[in-house]
Amino acid sequence: MATEARDRIAARDRVEQRRRPAEVPSTVRDDSEDEMVVSFPEFVFKEFIAAVAMTAFLILVSVWLQAPLLGQANPGMTPNPSKAPWYFLGLQELLSRFPPLMAGVAFPTFVIVLMILVPFLDRNPSRRPSERKVAIILFALYTAIVVALVIIGTFFRGHEFVWDWGWVLGNPQTCGGSPC
Amino acid sequence: MTVIRAALDEMFAVIGQMVGSVFRHGLPLTDKIAARTALTNFFLHIHPVRVRRSWIRMSYTLCLGGLSFFLFIVLTVTGLFLMFYYVPSTSHAYQDMRDLQFVVTFGGVIRNMHRWAAHAMVITVWLHMARVFLTGSYKKPREFNWGVGTLLLLITLLLSFTGYLLPWDQLSIWAVTVGTNMAKYAPIAGPYTRYLLIGGRVVGDNALLRFYVLHVVGLPLAAFLLMVVHFWRVRKDGFSGGL
Ligand code: HEM
């Protein structure tokens, strides 16, 4: 049993080593000389710590912070403004600015397809940040736009989804009693 | 005396056999024992037996993929608990949520955990994607896994969105009305898509049931399958490791 297991480990190590160099882009640091460690318990321990920290964080937040529950759904009474969940507010923001076909359909489809194609569009073989300035700047720009749209949608859109400084001026708009 | 001694010995042997049948290799005090444990344990075999130290630096992955997966597990467990109390119909849903909040022991905390973990997962998945992008880890040979990841991001958003309707309060129904109205704008298929999604023209009983079924069965199943593929590919392509 012992020798069998050791053989299997050795065989796997050989496979991992054989596979890697050929597939790694040539401009990446060669890691084949790096120290090998067993993933259990070295790595599993780190994961365990991360999981425990996340659990503790969630329990703390959940004890202190009540999830919103407004009045019962009433199809006859539309709150104004009506807002999508925050991760869709970027889309809603676009919808308020551009024709619906463009903002609601063409644009999201384009972004999803573009994202899937990223590895094929980015012809630069390097993984070093210093050699990928264009890609990183584009990504930073994309992130900045998404974050800005979500923040605008969350905090700066009031009645009829028109611009509202209320949140900055200290009287945040509400959606039926709780902050939007 | 010897009879008792023999019986005790026998008992300890049986207990030893029981423990040994579960934990085959004892404490991982040496690399050899640890490696053998990793090879034979179902829950550990998701990892390679050995890794290079540079691949598992926390400053590299920031644990974000792992945390996304962990949040998915937390959501499954807390969601299961919520399902014991929640009936997806417009006449029950809201009252069930209030009961969870105010009557059921720990119901409020579990609901909060489910809610905040869902928000957290949207954020960790997004940040994981950012990490993968910024380290160029989508490059050959990991193009396919980036695509699988994109689908996972979409499904994470859809899971959150379908869950949003379930409390059946003013926030849910109107957020989902706004959200599904976006589908309407697609040429030709748009109105039909919306009709199919909410089972009618307005968000009502059919919409609630459809979102519920998608939220607790359809989308989690799809997410789970994609995660299995995602992890399998991470193993086969190798961790991208240090820059
Ligand atoms: C539910 C969502 C997801 C889960 C649970 C998940 C999980 C993981 C895990 C555990 C890893 C191992 C390394 C690490 O922890 O960083 C990983 C790697 C990877 N993920 Fe994800 N992921 C998810 C979504 C995504 C998304 C949205 C993308 C990109 C669009 C993506 C692309 C990748 C790629 C390319 C790798 C290989 C990176 C490397 O080897 O450095 N994943 N994923």
Side-chain angles (χ1 to χ4, degrees):
Chain A
M1 169 58 210
T3 37
E4 190 194 318
R6 215 174 308 130
D7 287 350
R8 276 159 68 198
I9 298 164
R12 267 204 215 187
D13 280 355
R14 275 198 302 278
V15 170
E16 307 250 341
Q17 268 151 19
R18 209 180 321 123
R19 190 174 44 208
R20 290 181 57 76
E23 287 169 354
V24 172
S26 53
T27 43
V28 171
R29 188 173 70 81
D30 177 18
D31 61 9
S32 56
E33 295 301 312
D34 287 0
E35 181 194 0
M36 272 280 193
V37 295
V38 281
S39 56
F40 173 78
E42 287 260 348
F43 183 32
V44 176
F45 182 68
K46 289 184 181 186
E47 292 175 312
F48 178 72
I49 295 293
V52 169
M54 179 56 93
T55 310
F57 172 74
L58 276 178
I59 290 177
L60 280 183
V61 169
S62 302
V63 167
W64 266 301
L65 209 58
Q66 192 57 53
L69 186 65
L70 309 186
Q72 182 161 15
N74 179 356
M77 197 196 82
T78 317
N80 195 335
S82 290
K83 291 189 179 184
W86 63 269
Y87 37 82
F88 284 150
L89 277 182
L91 263 184
Q92 198 178 350
E93 178 67 24
L94 288 177
L95 267 173
S96 73
R97 290 164 183 262
F98 298 101
L101 183 58
M102 195 173 132
V105 182
F107 200 71
T109 313
F110 175 74
V111 169
I112 293 167
V113 172
L114 191 71
M115 244 188 90
I116 294 180
L117 291 182
V118 155
F120 308 100
L121 298 175
D122 178 359
R123 308 306 303 170
N124 176 357
S126 173
R127 289 184 43 228
R128 287 210 186 96
S130 57
E131 293 163 5
R132 308 177 56 226
K133 293 214 171 77
V134 178
I136 288 178
I137 289 173
L138 285 177
F139 186 79
L141 215 65
Y142 170 60
T143 308
I145 292 173
V146 171
V147 171
L149 289 178
V150 169
I151 289 179
I152 291 173
T154 309
F155 297 114
F156 296 102
R157 288 291 175 181
H159 194 73
E160 293 295 328
F161 216 68
V162 293
W163 195 277
D164 182 341
W165 287 108
W167 184 78
V168 173
L169 300 177
N171 52 330
Q173 357 108 16
T174 55
C175 290
S178 84
C180 297
Chain B
M1 209 58 214
T2 41
V3 178
I4 296 174
R5 180 59 120 343
L8 274 178
D9 281 352
E10 189 64 24
M11 204 174 82
F12 284 131
V14 170
I15 291 174
Q17 191 185 354
M18 283 175 175
V19 174
S21 74
V22 182
F23 304 103
R24 304 218 151 162
H25 307 297
L27 291 171
L29 296 176
T30 68
D31 279 6
K32 212 160 66 189
I33 301 175
R36 244 181 280 151
T37 308
L39 266 180
T40 51
N41 183 299
F42 176 77
F43 295 102
L44 294 176
H45 89 278
I46 196 162
H47 303 102
V49 174
R50 286 158 195 255
V51 289
R52 297 207 182 277
R53 202 179 277 291
S54 57
W55 304 350
I56 60 168
R57 278 203 335 264
M58 268 198 171
S59 59
Y60 182 68
T61 67
L62 304 172
C63 242
L64 286 165
L67 279 181
S68 306
F69 180 53
F70 181 67
L71 284 170
F72 183 75
I73 295 172
V74 169
L75 285 161
T76 308
V77 175
T78 52
L80 217 64
F81 175 86
L82 295 177
M83 281 176 78
F84 290 137
Y85 293 92
Y86 178 86
V87 178
S89 90
T90 53
S91 50
H92 287 85
Y94 184 70
Q95 195 50 51
D96 291 344
M97 292 317 289
R98 292 192 63 93
D99 283 352
L100 270 165
Q101 196 97 287
F102 300 113
V103 183
V104 178
T105 313
F106 289 124
V109 175
I110 300 279
R111 164 160 128 81
N112 293 347
M113 271 182 84
H114 195 72
R115 183 75 158 219
W116 303 135
H119 286 308
M121 187 173 164
V122 171
I123 296 171
T124 57
V125 171
W126 174 273
L127 290 178
H128 168 61
M129 180 198 74
R131 186 291 277 180
V132 170
F133 188 95
L134 293 175
T135 57
S137 301
Y138 54 78
K139 300 194 176 191
K140 201 169 176 340
R142 300 186 185 81
E143 306 97 318
F144 176 70
N145 220 13
W146 169 269
V148 175
T150 309
L151 295 183
L152 275 169
L153 175 63
L154 268 182
I155 291 190
T156 307
L157 291 177
L158 290 178
L159 269 168
S160 260
F161 183 61
T162 48
Y164 217 78
L165 182 63
L166 305 184
W168 202 247
D169 66 350
Q170 276 292 76
L171 197 60
S172 339
I173 178 178
W174 293 106
V176 167
T177 302
V178 171
T180 51
N181 268 339
M182 293 180 192
K184 214 164 52 180
Y185 300 118
I188 308 163
Y192 299 103
T193 311
R194 182 170 195 274
Y195 194 90
L196 188 71
L197 208 59
I198 65 177
R201 277 179 224 297
V202 291
V203 176
D205 252 317
N206 282 347
L208 185 56
L209 187 58
R210 279 175 200 207
F211 273 50
Y212 177 75
V213 171
L214 286 176
H215 185 75
V216 304
V217 184
L219 292 168
L221 217 62
F224 183 74
L225 272 176
L226 282 171
M227 280 182 202
V228 169
V229 175
H230 197 62
F231 299 160
W232 172 260
R233 289 259 37 117
V234 171
R235 280 296 301 274
K236 294 296 139 181
D237 299 338
F239 287 82
S240 63
L243 292 168

